[in-house]
Amino acid sequence: MSESRVPVLLLEDDRGYATLVADNLNHRGFEVSLAHSAGQALELAAVKKPAVLVADVYLGPGPSGLDVGQRMQESLPNLKVVYLTNVKEPRLVEGAEDFKMGSAAYLHKDRLVNPEFLSDVIKSRLTGGKRTTFRDDRDSNSRLADLTATQIEVLRLMAAGQGNAEIAHVRGTSQRAVETIQQRILAVLNIDHPSRSVACTRAIKIYLAEAGLHQGISVG
Amino acid sequence: MANQSFGAELAPVLRPRWEWAKSRLGPRWVVNWQVFVVYVLLTELLRFTIIGPNVYNSVGDVFEDWVWLLLSRGVVFLAVWLALRLNPKDRLVPIQNLLAVPLMVCINFWLDRLYTPGDDALFRFGIPATFVFGSVFAALGFALLAPLLVAIKNYRLGSIEADKSREQVRLQLEEIRFKERLAEELRNSQLESIVIPQVTKLREMLAVSTSAGVGVVDKLRTIIEEHVRPLSAASQVERLRLEAPIVASTSSKYVRLVTAKKPVQDAIRPVAWMLIIAPIIFLGQYMIFQRVMAGYSLLSLMLWAALTSAIKAILGPKLRANGAVRALLAGAIAYFSWVPISFLVAYLVGQAQAFSILVITNIGTSFVYIGFFTLIRDFEASIQDNLDLIKEKNAELKRQVNQFNRNQWVAQRNWSYLLHGKIQASLSVALIKLSQEAKPSRKTITEVNKILDGIVDTLRDPKLTDVNTFESLDTLRQLWLGVCGVRFVLPTAVEEALQNDSNARFAIGEIVTEAVTNAVKHANASIVSIEFELLTPTMLSLRINNDGKRVDPDYTRSIGSKMMDDLTEAWSLVSIGAQTQLRADLQIAAK
């Protein structure tokens, strides 16, 4: 019986939620190894060679679940990844602006109100099921969902207090190009105000409400 | 050695003294209208000293004399002043200044002689003696006055500097308040968009279920009304407020010359005094007794030095006075210790009747000089104390502001982690537990209650997530294994120093994570090395080297620079050869 159990590595820093998910998956025939930090998960992965990683995105200080998932997929090419999070948009996670979701599933934590859902997702991923079904970020009600990666980056820079000249310098474009991107952002977010600065402030407020302050560092 | 010029070995000794003289006598502006006023009065005093008080016979004489005095002094002063201003050689300005005033005295005395050809009273001791006495008197007067003018100007500049410093501090505090407001608004927005929808969902679930959920519904209401909405004004911001902001405004408005009391003993400096008044004594005695009395003068100086040293020893450090009183006391001691010695000298040379003139001229001027000398020294010391105090206070405030910025940044980031982690996860657990039963059991309701209690506790007092520096470094090493070698050395002394400062551990964790991740992702580094060094018990230097792409020197401002500004005391990012180094200096709380 134990040979047929699929090894799942669960990375979740909240112990209450982790226990709930682990019990659920164990009950449905998976062999769950539990890690509460990125370091623990990396150690366990080297030993257990899981077939599936179920990872929370926000793990507190240090690498995010997205970092861990991406790295594990490089060392374990057949690993299936399911992100289980409350972050509406993976692109809003610190340091994940250029993150590629690939074949991973992205589920909101509340989805577990349906106890079978997670195990169905895992089974589907293992059997090569349709990936679009399991992308909650795509049908989230986030006001930022319709923004492109470029627009999100510009908005992030605006929220960090950068002026148009600085944004243009960081992105290696002209100020005119930055202004054009800003216009598009305002249109996507449906913000209409005669004063450009007021409109931009409103856009920043929407961004900050969903993403928090991003204060990453650029080296090289 | 052969190449060394003569006296090269004296240069280290002489240079600081020359610099001092340059700073005190050297500014071009120091020969100004104030010097002119003093100069007019000084030459008149000199004339009185030599001619005696019975120079005026009528009011007309006084009027004529003063018109001539102002006119002749004004013209000569203006000419010399112009010559000094037009001379471009800065190096010689102190000597020029020092020579200019005696030169003016000599020219004016000569003009006086031409103006009143029949009146020879001014030169009754001979032309050379009058010129030498006048020149020395004027040079000493200038040497005392100029440092006072410089000291006053320095004080004014010091005040301006202090004002600028205060303005910078004010702007920093403004920025902090802005950040507080921003953080407050951000938390509110996040709570509105993230926590409240989930809480509302929970509430709806419980509202349609059973009366057993009433308590939980009440708790949810409490979470929203008491902890979520008013959170901004309460715990987090309040907890971070600077306890006692120091503003250096009060200390720079006045020099503590009047209030600060110092030992009178320090103001009695026999050797310095001797150097100041010895030329006057020699010249004065020559003019009064019409002969050089080197032996008697030397004897009198030695007696005077012994007497003042004895007074100094007797006074002890306990007698204290402020600057002006100290100057008066020093002058009085100089004067009254001279009186018996001068009388003795006059008696020994058989001219006791000349003692009264001696008292007025030599001894009187010594009182004025020594009083001034002491006052200027105290004034300068007081200005320096004051500037040091302002500097020290501002440095302390800057340190506090930096620490505040760092802690606020850490609290903000920690809040994000708590919100996206613990709070949301707890709400999800509550939601899932309730949704798994059609009618929530008492046990489930109790569990949900417990979860909600935990959320309330977190909202009421957000605890800082503890970071273990070694573990966070090791996690990075594991994360990038096979892609990039992450090497680090964490000395025990650094680990021990960090034990007392959870904010610093958190900040270091964030900096290192971001720096390593970016070096690997964006600079394609294959090796990253992390080094720590304790510069002082409260200052840590962190150096992160990578062998990736060189950093663009223009790329100095990015979002990351703001983070580094907030988290560190100083930081730099430079590429040297094949290496790029991020260096950051961080404060650590003292044990």
Side-chain angles (χ1 to χ4, degrees):
Chain A
M1 181 74 185
S2 63
E3 284 92 44
S4 63
R5 289 165 76 91
V6 176
V8 173
L9 175 58
L10 173 63
L11 170 56
E12 167 64 60
D13 62 330
D14 186 85
R15 286 167 196 271
Y17 192 83
T19 310
L20 203 67
V21 176
D23 289 350
N24 185 336
L25 291 177
N26 277 325
H27 185 68
R28 283 170 174 76
F30 296 98
E31 187 188 322
V32 180
S33 307
L34 200 51
H36 295 301
S37 68
Q40 266 183 4
L42 291 161
E43 276 174 13
L44 275 174
V47 178
K48 302 267 180 178
K49 309 281 183 207
V52 180
L53 169 71
V54 177
D56 183 17
V57 169
Y58 265 104
L59 299 171
S64 71
L66 299 177
D67 289 327
V68 176
Q70 209 164 19
R71 283 292 299 127
M72 274 193 198
Q73 275 185 314
E74 285 170 20
S75 54
L76 301 168
N78 294 323
L79 182 78
K80 305 294 175 194
V81 181
V82 176
Y83 295 111
L84 205 52
T85 179
N86 278 312
V87 183
K88 290 176 181 172
E89 269 278 335
R91 292 176 301 170
L92 301 182
V93 176
E94 180 78 22
E97 296 82 16
D98 54 354
F99 178 75
K100 300 280 184 292
M101 189 61 74
S103 61
Y106 194 86
L107 308 176
H108 286 167
K109 283 185 172 177
D110 293 354
R111 288 282 206 138
L112 254 71
V113 293
N114 175 0
E116 286 88 29
F117 184 73
L118 182 59
S119 65
D120 289 349
V121 171
I122 292 172
K123 283 172 191 165
S124 168
R125 301 304 307 116
L126 287 167
T127 53
K130 223 178 162 186
R131 65 184 62 160
T132 47
T133 328
F134 311 119
R135 290 289 302 276
D136 284 349
D137 54 318
R138 290 197 174 149
D139 36 273
S140 74
N141 53 3
S142 166
R143 292 186 70 182
L144 307 174
D146 296 331
L147 293 176
T148 64
T150 305
Q151 288 164 348
I152 283 190
E153 196 200 341
V154 169
L155 198 48
R156 181 171 62 88
L157 291 163
M158 286 162 63
Q162 309 280 299
N164 286 2
E166 288 161 331
I167 296 172
H169 181 69
V170 170
R171 291 184 43 77
T173 57
S174 66
Q175 284 195 54
R176 181 83 197 126
V178 173
E179 283 167 16
T180 309
I181 296 169
Q182 281 174 346
Q183 268 174 353
R184 286 186 195 136
I185 292 170
L186 297 176
V188 172
L189 295 178
N190 206 15
I191 297 170
D192 187 20
H193 196 278
S195 162
R196 179 68 172 263
S197 56
V198 172
C200 284
T201 309
R202 286 182 183 170
I204 289 168
K205 207 171 168 184
I206 291 169
Y207 175 85
L208 288 176
E210 294 201 8
L213 279 176
H214 280 230
Q215 292 164 315
I217 178 174
S218 299
V219 180
Chain B
M1 278 301 280
N3 291 334
Q4 266 194 338
S5 62
F6 175 73
E9 61 275 15
L10 287 176
V13 180
L14 294 177
R15 189 162 294 125
R17 281 156 181 73
W18 172 241
E19 291 301 324
W20 184 89
K22 258 170 68 174
S23 67
R24 294 300 185 274
L25 307 175
R28 283 176 180 279
W29 56 262
V30 89
V31 179
N32 60 8
W33 67 269
Q34 288 146 326
V35 172
F36 175 67
V37 172
V38 176
Y39 169 66
V40 170
L41 296 173
L42 191 76
T43 49
E44 192 58 3
L45 179 69
L46 270 168
R47 286 175 76 234
F48 274 128
T49 308
I50 297 167
I51 299 168
N54 302 322
V55 69
Y56 300 127
N57 296 318
S58 63
V59 177
D61 277 356
V62 175
F63 181 75
E64 185 195 333
D65 195 63
W66 274 92
V67 168
W68 165 250
L69 194 78
L70 290 173
L71 194 69
S72 61
R73 270 61 176 162
V75 169
V76 171
F77 188 89
L78 198 62
V80 172
W81 179 82
L82 270 173
L84 288 176
R85 289 294 162 110
L86 292 174
N87 180 8
K89 288 180 185 167
D90 273 336
R91 235 161 53 83
L92 296 175
V93 170
I95 293 170
Q96 287 166 6
N97 284 350
L98 197 59
L99 293 179
V101 183
L103 179 71
M104 284 192 281
V105 169
C106 292
I107 295 171
N108 276 127
F109 277 8
W110 189 253
L111 287 176
D112 289 347
R113 191 162 186 262
L114 294 177
Y115 181 64
T116 52
D119 185 1
D120 227 12
L122 192 60
F123 293 92
R124 67 192 168 101
F125 301 119
I127 293 171
T130 302
F131 279 170
V132 171
F133 184 70
S135 299
V136 172
F137 201 89
L140 281 171
F142 177 75
L144 282 168
L145 182 65
L148 185 65
L149 294 175
V150 172
I152 290 167
K153 180 132 180 172
N154 282 346
Y155 167 62
R156 283 181 183 157
L157 291 175
S159 292
I160 292 168
E161 194 185 307
D163 281 344
K164 277 184 191 164
S165 168
R166 274 202 306 279
E167 180 60 13
Q168 281 174 353
V169 165
R170 192 186 66 74
L171 289 173
Q172 277 180 319
L173 292 175
E174 279 288 310
E175 192 187 334
I176 282 177
R177 284 182 196 117
F178 171 74
K179 281 182 181 173
E180 279 178 350
R181 286 199 298 275
L182 184 70
E184 179 183 325
E185 191 158 318
L186 179 62
R187 276 193 295 277
N188 276 342
S189 299
Q190 287 179 330
L191 288 167
E192 288 283 345
S193 64
I194 296 169
V195 178
I196 291 179
Q198 270 186 302
V199 170
T200 309
K201 214 186 287 178
L202 271 174
R203 195 180 214 175
E204 282 164 4
M205 285 182 76
L206 285 160
V208 294
S209 64
T210 169
S211 59
V214 169
V216 187
V217 172
D218 287 345
K219 189 154 281 166
L220 292 171
R221 189 178 294 125
T222 310
I223 289 177
I224 296 172
E225 302 301 334
E226 290 183 15
H227 301 293
V228 174
R229 291 194 194 282
L231 180 84
S232 55
S235 59
Q236 187 122 342
V237 172
E238 206 57 51
R239 205 161 56 87
L240 285 169
R241 190 152 285 152
L242 279 175
E243 282 178 7
I246 302 163
V247 179
S249 59
T250 49
S251 62
S252 63
K253 284 292 177 196
Y254 61 92
V255 171
R256 294 182 302 157
L257 186 65
V258 181
T259 51
K261 290 189 172 181
K262 292 178 181 177
V264 173
Q265 193 188 30
D266 296 347
I268 303 165
R269 295 154 60 88
V271 177
W273 291 6
M274 270 168 58
L275 291 174
I276 291 170
I277 63 166
I280 304 170
I281 291 165
F282 277 94
L283 282 164
Q285 287 185 348
Y286 171 75
M287 283 192 289
I288 291 163
F289 303 127
Q290 293 295 295
R291 56 179 157 158
V292 178
M293 299 191 348
Y296 285 114
S297 295
L298 194 63
L299 172 71
S300 63
L301 283 174
M302 286 172 67
L303 282 171
W304 189 54
L307 190 59
T308 47
S309 298
I311 293 170
K312 186 173 176 168
I314 291 162
L315 275 179
K318 284 184 183 171
L319 185 60
R320 299 168 76 86
N322 65 27
V325 176
R326 249 163 65 98
L328 282 171
L329 278 172
I333 289 165
Y335 180 79
F336 287 112
S337 57
W338 251 126
V339 172
I341 296 166
S342 296
F343 182 77
L344 180 67
V345 171
Y347 177 77
L348 287 175
V349 297
Q351 292 192 37
Q353 74 280 4
F355 171 66
S356 59
I357 302 173
L358 208 61
V359 166
I360 293 168
T361 56
N362 300 359
I363 306 172
T365 49
S366 73
F367 173 81
V368 175
Y369 278 161
I370 287 159
F372 259 132
F373 182 74
T374 308
L375 194 62
I376 288 169
R377 282 186 68 251
D378 283 0
F379 192 54
E380 286 207 328
S382 187
I383 289 168
Q384 199 50 51
D385 288 351
N386 200 43
L387 291 176
D388 288 347
L389 184 74
I390 291 166
K391 212 171 158 187
E392 188 187 316
K393 285 196 169 187
N394 284 345
E396 170 59 20
L397 182 61
K398 194 171 178 298
R399 197 187 63 76
Q400 283 192 21
V401 166
N402 284 347
Q403 201 151 22
F404 178 87
N405 272 334
R406 186 194 72 186
N407 292 353
Q408 197 188 42
W409 192 98
V410 166
Q412 186 61 41
R413 179 59 68 90
N414 188 54
W415 169 252
S416 267
Y417 288 140
L418 289 177
L419 183 69
H420 291 298
K422 187 173 171 55
I423 294 174
Q424 288 220 63
S426 300
L427 285 167
S428 292
V429 171
L431 209 61
I432 292 162
K433 281 188 184 287
L434 286 171
S435 66
Q436 282 170 350
E437 297 169 25
K439 184 183 174 188
S441 65
R442 189 163 292 278
K443 189 184 164 207
T444 306
I445 296 288
T446 308
E447 281 174 4
V448 170
N449 256 316
K450 211 173 157 186
I451 291 165
L452 296 179
D453 282 340
I455 294 173
V456 171
D457 287 344
T458 308
L459 289 168
R460 192 183 285 152
D461 184 17
K463 295 268 187 315
L464 184 64
T465 313
D466 195 33
V467 174
N468 181 311
T469 309
F470 184 86
E471 280 177 14
S472 62
L473 291 167
D474 199 47
T475 299
L476 283 172
R477 186 189 58 75
Q478 288 181 55
L479 182 70
W480 297 111
L481 208 65
V483 178
C484 172
V486 178
R487 298 170 185 169
F488 61 91
V489 180
L490 183 64
T492 316
V494 172
E495 252 186 313
E496 282 172 4
L498 285 170
Q499 266 176 6
N500 307 300
D501 195 339
S502 50
N503 279 296
R505 290 200 301 274
F506 193 103
I508 288 168
E510 293 293 304
I511 291 172
V512 170
T513 302
E514 294 293 338
V516 173
T517 305
N518 282 295
V520 179
K521 281 187 181 175
H522 304 304
N524 300 322
S526 61
I527 291 175
V528 176
S529 65
I530 304 161
E531 293 162 22
F532 296 85
E533 186 190 351
L534 267 181
L535 301 176
T536 70
T538 57
M539 186 64 76
L540 176 71
S541 176
L542 171 65
R543 289 184 294 273
I544 304 170
N545 297 293
N546 76 73
D547 63 347
K549 268 193 306 192
R550 288 171 63 82
V551 69
D552 175 4
D554 294 334
Y555 194 74
T556 50
R557 275 193 65 81
S558 68
I559 304 177
S561 69
K562 194 166 175 348
M563 164 179 143
M564 294 301 283
D565 289 344
D566 280 348
L567 290 186
T568 67
E569 290 294 298
W571 68 278
S572 62
L573 178 64
V574 286
S575 290
I576 305 161
Q579 288 282 310
T580 297
Q581 185 182 73
L582 173 75
R583 183 188 162 138
D585 294 343
L586 290 99
Q587 267 185 63
I588 309 174
K591 280 183 186 174

